[in-house]
């Protein structure tokens, strides 16, 4: 190895070091380090909408179809059927959250045990399960459409024995 080669090698290293520094300095000057005041996008699913106005127009038959499309992969809906990946949903409306003694709920859902599955609680849960109970094992991203959630809840009300009074009669207006 002659000294000319070593000189070139040294120069190459020096030059690349300078390049890296120039790039870093330029990019730091152009792109500010501060986080934006407002997030670039927001998830519409994260608003807890009051579900009552949607319940007035809810259709249990549409809910039936949706539940069999989206939920029954993991949930049984027939009275007395054994739990699937998730707990049996028969009679879930008005039941305490994490209320089946035979099902092994996550700590996240057990922590909510003091509450009841009301229409609103179900709606909030189905909007974004992971936000309602961070750490839940129900791996459903969520249903952003309030009308769909209302249909599903209307169907869930028809399952098993529910102590909850029926929702107000629909005035017959389609949403
Ligand atoms: C990928 C499987 C999966 C799908 C799909 C799914 N769930 Fe679940 N669900 C679960 C699991 C698992 C739990 C238990 C969660 C826990 O313990 O954290 C659960 C819990 C629940 C509970 C709480 C019940 C109780 O006894 O407290 C309700 C209500 C529920 N799911 C409704 C639904 C509805 C309605 C749908 C369809 C829109 C749905 N789930 C879709 C897996 C699923």
């Amino acid at each position: 190895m002659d000294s000319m080669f070593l000189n070139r090698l040294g120069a190459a290293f020096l030059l690349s070091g300078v390049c890296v520094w120039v790039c870093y300095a330029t990019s730091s000057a152009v792109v500010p380090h501060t986080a934006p005041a407002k997030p670039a996008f927001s998830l519409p699913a994260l608003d807890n909408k009051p579900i009552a106005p949607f319940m007035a127009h809810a259709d249990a038959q549409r809910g039936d179809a949706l539940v069999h499309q989206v939920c029954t992969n993991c949930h049984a809906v027939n009275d007395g059927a054994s739990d699937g990946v998730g707990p049996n949903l028969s009679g879930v409306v008005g039941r305490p959250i994490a209320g089946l003694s035979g099902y092994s709920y996550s700590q996240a859902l057990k922590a909510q045990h003091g509450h009841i599955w009301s229409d609103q609680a179900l709606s909030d849960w189905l909007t974004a399960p992971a936000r309602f109970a961070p750490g839940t094992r129900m791996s459903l991203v969520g249903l952003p459409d309030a009308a769909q959630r209302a249909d599903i809840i209307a169907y869930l009300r028809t399952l098993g024995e529910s102590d909850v009074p029926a929702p107000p009669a629909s005035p017959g207006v389609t949403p």
Side-chain angles (χ1 to χ4, degrees):
M1 234 187 279
D2 60 7
S3 67
M4 190 64 176
F5 175 76
L6 286 179
N7 276 348
R8 280 198 189 136
L9 199 67
F13 273 117
L14 200 68
L15 204 64
S16 38
V18 169
C19 278
V20 167
W21 183 82
V22 168
C23 287
Y24 174 76
T26 320
S27 58
S28 317
V30 174
V31 183
H33 282 282
T34 48
K38 230 177 77 181
F41 64 93
S42 66
L43 295 174
L46 298 188
D47 295 325
N48 276 354
K49 268 203 182 139
I51 199 66
F54 293 91
M55 290 311 295
H57 307 295
D59 178 340
Q61 265 185 344
R62 276 198 307 252
D64 184 343
L66 279 167
V67 164
H68 283 86
Q69 232 174 299
V70 185
C71 321
T72 49
N73 282 338
C74 299
H75 289 283
V77 290
N78 297 326
D79 217 7
S82 50
D83 301 319
V85 175
N88 191 325
L89 293 181
S90 172
V92 73
V93 183
R95 190 163 86 190
I97 293 180
L100 292 185
S101 50
Y103 182 82
S104 164
Y105 293 95
S106 66
Q107 282 306 326
L109 214 55
K110 276 194 215 160
Q112 310 265 0
H113 184 60
H115 304 279
I116 296 287
W117 281 125
S118 62
D119 291 351
Q120 188 61 48
L122 282 164
S123 171
D124 296 347
W125 163 249
L126 293 176
T127 303
R131 194 184 50 140
F132 184 96
T136 178
R137 286 206 318 273
M138 175 153 134
S139 56
L140 185 85
V141 177
L143 301 166
D145 186 334
Q148 285 191 342
R149 293 197 302 276
D151 291 344
I152 288 177
I153 295 164
Y155 171 68
L156 292 178
R157 278 175 168 278
T158 68
L159 301 175
E161 287 187 20
S162 169
D163 302 337
V164 184
S170 160
V173 185
T174 35

